[in-house]
């Protein structure tokens, strides 16, 4: 499974179209990890899907080329910049957010879902930003999504997320888990080798 990660309202439209064209030419279906709102408090920058109609058109183009939308948080940030920060986990103190509550999570999910729906984009599953959330959060997420495409923390402890080799139909924290178990290709080291090695290891099962 291929996931195009961390797409935000400020993502490059031409690049997204090129990615979709290439994967379509190779008959490869893919998922689009989409964050509906971009925020950067340091530069006082904010943008939504509704602010970027060309980006929305590019996402729809990707869907026509075989992509499906995964909701990757609402802003994918708590204190810092979107996609560089967590959203449901306080990494500074390595614990659930001080403001963590069922209502807090519900409000963020509904705000993000409404923004996507306003632009006729409908996610089929969920991905927790940086795989960090509390057990309280998962209970709320499971109310909106019957599945998640991620590694899910088993305790309120960062690093307790599990890299599983197969689909989990009923996770201990609830819901169906589509596993992420190949890692990713970082921008600083764009080499496919480590990812392909992980794929070969999974074939041993």
């Amino acid at each position: 499974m291929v996931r195009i990660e961390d797409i935000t309202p400020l993502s490059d439209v031409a690049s997204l179209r090129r990615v979709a064209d290439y994967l379509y030419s190779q008959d490869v279906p893919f998922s689009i990890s989409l964050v509906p709102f971009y925020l950067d408090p340091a530069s006082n920058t904010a943008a939504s899907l509704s602010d970027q109609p060309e980006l929305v058109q590019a996402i729809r183009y990707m869907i026509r080329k075989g992509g499906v939308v995964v909701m990757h948080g609402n802003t994918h940030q708590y204190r810092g910049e979107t996609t560089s920060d967590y959203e449901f986990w306080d990494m500074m103190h390595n614990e659930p957010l001080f403001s963590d509550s069922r209502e807090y999570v519900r409000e963020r999910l509904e705000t993000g879902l409404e923004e996507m729906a306003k632009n006729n984009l409908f996610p089929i599953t969920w991905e927790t930003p940086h795989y960090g959330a509390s057990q309280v959060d998962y209970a709320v997420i499971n109310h909106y999504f019957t599945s998640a495409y991620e590694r899910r923390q088993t305790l309120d402890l960062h690093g307790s997320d599990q890299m599983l080799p197969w689909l989990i139909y009923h996770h201990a924290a609830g819901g169906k888990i589509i596993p992420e178990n190949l890692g990713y290709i970082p921008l600083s080291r764009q080499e496919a080798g480590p990812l392909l090695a992980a794929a070969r290891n999974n074939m041993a099962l």
Side-chain angles (χ1 to χ4, degrees):
M1 296 176 68
V2 176
R3 189 171 70 204
I4 313 305
E5 192 76 355
D6 290 344
I7 306 304
T8 77
L10 297 190
S11 292
D12 183 72
V13 170
S15 294
L16 295 179
R17 289 177 176 270
R18 285 197 299 271
V19 166
D21 286 338
Y22 175 74
L23 292 173
Y24 180 77
S25 74
Q26 301 298 308
D27 296 320
V28 176
F30 58 95
S31 59
I32 305 155
S33 179
L34 182 60
V35 184
F37 294 97
Y38 175 91
L39 290 176
D40 183 6
S43 63
N44 198 29
T45 302
S48 68
L49 290 174
S50 298
D51 297 330
Q52 307 290 338
E54 290 188 4
L55 185 280
V56 172
Q57 289 301 320
I59 298 296
R60 292 178 186 162
Y61 180 82
M62 296 176 82
I63 293 170
R64 292 196 297 273
K65 292 292 183 176
V68 295
V69 176
V70 177
M71 184 175 179
H72 192 24
N74 180 47
T75 63
H76 198 321
Q77 59 82 235
Y78 177 53
R79 295 186 180 92
E81 181 187 7
T82 289
T83 73
S84 297
D85 192 10
Y86 292 71
E87 183 171 354
F88 300 100
W89 190 259
D90 183 353
M91 198 56 202
M92 184 179 293
H93 299 99
N94 195 16
E95 63 186 13
L97 302 180
F98 177 77
S99 56
D100 193 29
S101 69
R102 295 180 65 88
E103 182 61 23
Y104 174 84
V105 180
R106 184 196 66 77
E107 186 275 331
R108 296 189 77 81
L109 264 67
E110 291 193 357
T111 300
L113 286 168
E114 288 170 4
E115 178 65 14
M116 289 185 174
K118 189 190 303 182
N119 291 280
N120 290 314
L121 297 172
F122 302 97
I124 65 167
T125 190
W126 166 265
E127 178 194 357
T128 303
H130 287 336
Y131 303 150
S134 73
Q135 303 306 301
V136 168
D137 301 344
Y138 292 138
V140 179
I141 292 165
N142 293 339
H143 179 74
Y144 291 86
F145 293 92
T146 58
S147 68
Y149 183 7
E150 62 182 16
R151 304 177 192 180
R152 182 158 277 191
Q153 291 188 170
T154 55
L155 304 167
D156 285 349
L157 176 68
H158 184 68
S160 66
D161 54 290
Q162 295 177 309
M163 186 170 68
L164 302 165
W166 46 69
L167 180 69
I168 302 299
Y169 287 92
H170 301 286
H171 192 272
K176 181 184 294 183
I177 303 299
I178 304 163
E180 186 281 291
N181 51 28
L182 299 185
Y184 68 103
I185 301 176
L187 293 174
S188 60
R189 186 185 174 196
Q190 297 188 48
E191 301 172 4
L195 190 145
L196 294 173
R200 285 192 293 272
N201 291 341
N202 273 277
M203 290 294 288
L205 297 163

